[in-house]
Amino acid sequence: MQIAQDFQKQILVVEDEGLIAADIQKRLQRLGYPAPAIASSGEEALQRARSTPFDLILMDIRLKGGMDGIATAEVMKAELRAPVVYITAHSDLETISRAKLTEPLGYILKPITDGDLRSTVQVSIYRHEMERRVRASEAWLWTTLRSVGDGILATDSTGEVVFMNPVAEDLTGWSNNDAHGIPLMDVLALRDESTGQHARNPVSELLPEENRTYTLIAK
C-alpha cells in the first residue's frame, strides 16, 4: 500500500535548534517513519543531500550560518531537485514570497503538531512521487517524438510553437529553440498550390472532408 511505502522513505530534518530537531525526529518516528537524519546548518544539509537521495527534506527557514534555509533549498533544487518542505515560525509576506521562488512542496508552521506533520509529510511525499513520474513520462515522450520519422510540430493553445522534432527542423529550416514561441504559420510556411497564395492555418481554414495540396517553403 502507498502509506506503507511512505513509511520507508528517508527524511532529512534541517534545524539548528537541537531540541527542536530532536522533537521533530521523535514525532516522525512516532508516526512510523524511520529515524530521520538531522543537519544543523545549510552547509551540512547540502553535504548530506549530495551523498544520500532523501525522499523529503524538512527545512527550517531561519538557519544560523552563511546559508539560511531558503538559500540552501535553492541550491538543492538546482543541483538535486530535492523535495523541500519549509518549517517556520515566520509567516510574514516577505519571507513567504522569497520561499515561494524555490517551489517548496509545503509549509509547516511552528509550533508543530503531529497532525500537521503527518498530513504535510504524506501529501508532500506523494506529490513528489507524482512529479517524478511526470518528468519520466515527459522524458520518454520527448525521446519518442524526436525519433519519429515524420515531421512533428506541437503548439500551445495560442498557436505558438512549443516543440519540433529533428525531421520538422530539417523540413522547415527552423531549429526547435528558434521556433519556440513563434506563431505556427510563421514557421510552417505553406503555399496553396491551387492559388499560389500563402496559406492560413489548415486546421482552421479547411472544411470537414476538404483536401488541399500545399507546398512547404523552408526558411
Side-chain angles (χ1 to χ4, degrees):
M1 294 178 62
Q2 180 66 43
I3 293 178
Q5 292 175 355
D6 286 351
F7 290 152
Q8 304 304 314
K9 302 296 185 180
Q10 298 299 312
I11 299 175
L12 172 64
V13 177
V14 187
E15 170 63 63
D16 56 8
E17 297 291 341
L19 292 177
I20 295 177
D23 176 67
I24 296 172
Q25 186 182 52
K26 289 178 182 178
R27 288 177 184 272
L28 288 168
Q29 288 180 282
R30 192 160 61 238
L31 293 173
Y33 293 95
I38 294 177
S40 59
S41 68
E43 291 80 3
E44 183 184 358
L46 284 173
Q47 184 178 12
R48 284 181 171 272
R50 285 165 177 157
S51 61
T52 303
F54 289 101
D55 299 289
L56 189 65
I57 298 171
L58 301 180
M59 178 82 68
D60 186 21
I61 285 183
R62 300 295 175 90
L63 294 173
K64 299 183 180 73
M67 301 179 70
D68 66 4
I70 298 176
T72 305
E74 280 182 316
V75 177
M76 287 183 172
K77 177 188 174 187
E79 287 188 15
L80 310 168
R81 285 188 173 175
V84 171
V85 166
Y86 285 123
I87 299 174
T88 181
H90 304 274
S91 57
D92 60 280
L93 183 59
E94 181 180 355
T95 298
I96 296 301
S97 296
R98 182 171 163 240
K100 281 168 59 178
L101 297 177
T102 63
E103 300 179 349
L105 294 178
Y107 300 85
I108 301 176
L109 293 178
K110 297 177 181 179
I112 298 171
T113 66
D114 283 357
D116 287 343
L117 189 62
R118 179 192 297 109
S119 59
T120 303
V121 167
Q122 286 183 358
V123 169
S124 298
I125 288 175
Y126 176 79
R127 179 181 165 190
H128 177 62
E129 176 62 19
M130 292 302 101
E131 290 176 351
R132 185 195 64 78
R133 291 183 184 182
V134 168
R135 287 196 300 270
S137 178
E138 288 177 344
W140 175 86
L141 179 60
W142 177 269
T143 301
T144 300
L145 291 177
R146 288 187 63 83
S147 65
V148 170
D150 295 318
I152 296 176
L153 293 89
T155 71
D156 59 17
S157 59
T158 67
E160 294 182 348
V161 175
V162 295
F163 171 80
M164 296 175 65
N165 71 348
V167 177
E169 290 179 317
D170 290 341
L171 290 172
T172 64
W174 287 77
S175 71
N176 182 58
N177 289 336
D178 289 343
H180 196 279
I182 302 297
L184 172 64
M185 298 313 294
D186 288 352
V187 176
L188 194 65
L190 299 178
R191 181 169 293 168
D192 189 325
E193 289 195 352
S194 63
T195 65
Q197 300 297 313
H198 286 287
R200 297 192 297 273
N201 189 336
V203 174
S204 58
E205 184 179 39
L206 293 183
L207 299 173
E209 307 302 326
E210 183 182 6
N211 292 309
R212 294 189 193 178
T213 302
Y214 297 96
T215 299
L216 174 62
I217 309 301
K219 181 181 179 183

